[in-house]
Amino acid sequence: MAVEEEGLRVFQSVRIKIGEAKNLPTYPGPNKMRDCYCTVNLDQEEVFRTKIVEKSLCPFYGEDFYCEIPRTFRHLSFYIFDRDVFRRDSIIGKVAIQKEDLQKYHNRDTWFQLQHVDADSEVQGKVHLELRLSEVITDTGVVCHKLATRVLECQGLPIVNGQCDPYATVTLAGPSRSEAKKTKVKKKTNNPHFDEVFYFEVTRPSSYNKKSHFDIEDVDEVDKMEIRVDLWNASNLKFGDEFLGELRLPLKFLRQSSSYEAWYFLQPRDNDYYSPLRDVLLKSADVEPVSASAAHILGEVCREKQEAAIPLVRLFLHYGRIVPFISAIANAEVKRTQDPNTIFRGNSLTSKCIDETMKLAGMHYLQVTLKPIIDEICQVHKPCEIDPVKLKDGENLENNRENLRQYVDRIFTVITKSGVSCPTVMCDIFFSLRESAAKRFQGDLDVRYTAVSSFIFLRFFAPAILSPNLFQLTPHHPDPQTSRTLTLISKTIQTLGSLSKSKSANFKESYMATFYDYFNEQKYADAVKNFLDLISSSGRRDHKSIEQPILLKEGTLKLTVKKVDGNSSCRFMIKRAQGRKRFGMKNFKKRWFRLTNHEFTYQKSKGDHPLCSIPIENILAVERLEEESFKMKNMFQVIQPERRVLYIQANNCVEAKDWIDILTKVSQCNKKRLTVYHPSAYLNGHWLCCKATADNTPGCTPCTGGLPANIQLDIDGDRETERIYSLFNLYMPKLEKMQEACGSKSVYDGPEEEEYSTFIIDDPKETYKTLKLIIEGVGNLEQEHAQYKRDKFKKTKYGSQEHPIGDKSFQTYIRQQSEISAHSI
């Protein structure tokens, strides 16, 4: 859709040119064409309507509209309608532009993508509420809570089809109850004054339910309840009451103040039927014990752990909860592990979830690390067979060994040097694994490495080398010779990364044990440990919890320093005197820099005592510096608390990027990291970038969000929740069996009954409560699906385009409805 705005003088007036629309969806009928018009709306109030363009899917309007805007608004909206003579005109789609964004389209012809319109999302206006929560003592001396909700007034409600007769419904909703009350209808006004008070009994005395000794009402009911206010237009007799907007408020905020009064913007209706189930799933990381969480229960009832891991990982990644979830289930698994040599070796939910996370988050990481060498191996076809029995005529065993050794050495080097590119989400998970393993097996100093290497080498790099096509490193499965070469490389890399004490015992074939002698040097083990230290320590909050600092990078750089208080404390120049002249090359000194996982230091020369030490937790941002600041290339800045900045020049652009990447990597989880920064320096009394004169002006540019390898996933959270719902529904008998197992464990503390022994149930009561929420949620969704099917079939007839004669789904539905009717009779 093409629109042009002109003359936006502080948004007091607007001139709009409505051009044309293209490729509208066809009408579901024989002629396919539509009779379309466009409206201009301030929020939901229509202020202009174009002519109707008949029988077209690409209507051209070419109409101008000019008006003085008489009121405040949030969105300037454009709706495309399809005229219908017999029914209400239907909305094809809309374009909504926020008031703040209008200036972007000033004097420009712009095409916009039409957005789907849900009637329940079209809201405007605000509501004035007063809430009061009081404690009441009953005749029996029991303390209960009562809520008084006062609906005072509304402003700016939409006028629908020329009229607005609003009323409000007030609902108190909780996990197991819903109570609604209604105001009087106010005629012919979009600014109604209600001033009505409704009283609700929030908590009641606990009651015993004979169905189960777990089904006792929660005493702390307030925190689980919400008050919902819905606004409706009551006067549309032909089409029924119309939804105008809603407001949802959790009652737990009244814990701090028993009385609360405020204005609220009305919000679109929450028609997300999956939100209750999704909320239960996303809270899994916070449930104690985690075995009582919805996500863990899904892993228990699914036939294969992979079946549960795929949608769970995608859902938690989408909502940014994957690290706490995996940390919780991994910690629980480590506590159940008796032997450090078997840690994370089984096909548990933890292992499958980490595998799936690495597959999704690490795809780019594999591309930049392995793909160049994998491509070379596939193209060059160097002979690498080292099994004497399989040698081809004319091949030399020693030459093949050397070819293979070179490939292994190169791949091993790029892997162990790639720690800075490892995605943050993977590093945070590895940090959690390392901490859990080290805490559980304190006497085994290597377990902190093997807990991580069992995933990054055994389940990530080695499989990607073995089957590059499955990890999108090659388009097709390699030919037999290349596949054999990759198999030999994968075996060797896997063994190098395992850090096992007896390497030769890992190989069944003697020729592999002989070949591995090339790599029986301490430098390979040291390289693996340094790599594992880097990828499992960048996510930590306390960088000094590792006994010995790990050297990550060092080298000569130039920097400029201003001493503020006469000693060598690191107060770097950010606060310069007004009018100071531009700094030049003579202000920059060569220094030797060292970065460990503890601190960033520099000294006059390598080996000297440090002149300055910056703890990693004090690095708030690491960003490039624009060349204009000092007329010098390859500059970057390390920003610290109290607006202190260290300006550094690298020798070349590659070195600058390396330092920025690794400094960002080790500091990006710091709690006080900045969100904005100044890309230039403060010189001559102002910031060169934004011209602000105050040296303490907040930054003018957003900080970079992380390294390029960080995860960027296009995941549909609703789709993944739907898949999890389908799994719960499929395994409903197991959920019910698990519920029975909870009751059995709680009343009989003896040997487990065989039929229940397959479930991990650490806390029967908490597990039962979660199972009850899951079963109720799945049941509600089943009802919604059934209602959707009924509504869908009612709107169409057998023999229509949507349901041609012979449609088995329609026939099945008709038969089921007949059976239901007969049963009712």
Side-chain angles (χ1 to χ4, degrees), residues 404-675:
L404 183 61
R405 188 195 64 79
Q406 289 181 8
Y407 278 144
V408 170
D409 218 28
R410 288 173 58 191
I411 288 181
F412 177 81
T413 301
V414 297
I415 289 174
T416 53
K417 295 290 186 183
S418 70
V420 70
S421 300
C422 186
T424 304
V425 67
M426 289 172 58
C427 293
D428 289 343
I429 290 171
F430 295 151
F431 161 66
S432 175
L433 301 182
R434 176 187 182 119
E435 293 293 287
S436 293
K439 185 177 179 180
R440 174 74 173 86
F441 301 104
Q442 297 181 15
D444 190 327
L445 298 180
D446 286 334
V447 74
R448 65 184 63 193
Y449 295 113
T450 55
V452 178
S453 66
S454 63
F455 285 103
I456 192 69
F457 282 101
L458 183 65
R459 296 173 176 264
F460 186 64
F461 282 122
I465 296 168
L466 183 65
S467 304
N469 56 306
L470 300 181
F471 291 81
Q472 300 177 22
L473 297 176
T474 58
H476 309 291
H477 187 72
D479 61 79
Q481 180 182 330
T482 304
S483 183
R484 174 64 175 166
T485 298
L486 294 175
T487 299
L488 296 171
I489 295 172
S490 179
K491 282 185 176 183
T492 312
I493 291 295
Q494 180 177 320
T495 307
L496 278 167
S498 68
L499 291 172
S500 60
K501 297 177 177 62
S502 177
K503 303 290 188 181
S504 58
N506 289 340
F507 298 111
K508 297 177 182 178
E509 309 92 342
S510 58
Y511 61 86
M512 284 299 299
T514 302
F515 173 70
Y516 195 81
D517 288 339
Y518 286 119
F519 305 98
N520 258 331
E521 296 182 39
Q522 188 59 37
K523 67 175 183 179
Y524 290 102
D526 291 342
V528 169
K529 286 188 175 182
N530 287 337
F531 169 68
L532 296 175
D533 276 328
L534 177 56
I535 66 172
S536 63
S537 65
S538 62
R540 66 179 61 253
R541 299 298 183 264
D542 179 11
H543 294 268
K544 296 181 180 179
S545 62
I546 296 179
E547 293 78 4
Q548 295 297 322
I550 305 159
L551 179 62
L552 304 177
K553 189 173 177 64
E554 61 181 346
T556 301
L557 300 168
K558 292 180 181 178
L559 82 157
T560 182
V561 180
K562 175 182 167 68
K563 294 181 181 178
V564 174
D565 50 10
N567 59 32
S568 295
S569 64
C570 307
R571 296 187 175 274
F572 306 114
M573 62 166 199
I574 181 167
K575 187 172 183 180
R576 297 201 181 90
Q578 298 281 342
R580 181 179 293 278
K581 293 182 180 179
R582 186 179 299 277
F583 274 63
M585 286 292 294
K586 65 181 181 180
N587 299 97
F588 285 82
K589 307 294 184 183
K590 281 190 175 183
R591 294 289 182 261
W592 183 261
F593 283 80
R594 295 181 84 251
L595 174 66
T596 72
N597 58 316
H598 289 189
E599 58 189 358
F600 183 45
T601 63
Y602 70 82
Q603 49 251 48
K604 192 168 185 178
S605 301
K606 185 176 182 180
D608 290 350
H609 184 76
L611 299 173
C612 172
S613 172
I614 306 170
I616 294 298
E617 56 267 26
N618 283 355
I619 298 178
L620 306 186
V622 184
E623 300 288 347
R624 294 186 181 277
L625 192 70
E626 291 180 353
E627 187 177 335
E628 66 167 335
S629 298
F630 303 108
K631 300 298 180 184
M632 296 165 63
K633 295 183 178 181
N634 309 318
M635 293 282 297
F636 64 94
Q637 53 185 317
V638 179
I639 306 173
Q640 303 162 74
E642 300 178 15
R643 304 192 308 278
R644 297 179 307 211
V645 180
L646 179 64
Y647 294 117
I648 303 173
Q649 184 190 33
N651 295 320
N652 53 62
C653 61
V654 174
E655 186 180 55
K657 181 182 183 303
D658 286 346
W659 276 104
I660 292 171
D661 282 354
I662 196 164
L663 282 165
T664 301
K665 188 69 177 176
V666 297
S667 65
Q668 62 189 349
C669 291
N670 290 345
K671 294 179 180 179
K672 296 183 179 180
R673 272 189 66 85
L674 299 178
T675 57

Side-chain angles (χ1 to χ4, degrees), residues 181-197:
K181 300 182 180 182
K182 176 182 172 182
T183 68
K184 296 177 182 177
V185 177
K186 299 296 181 179
K187 295 286 187 179
K188 298 180 180 179
T189 176
N190 64 337
N191 298 306
H193 286 260
F194 297 108
D195 200 11
E196 295 188 43
V197 182

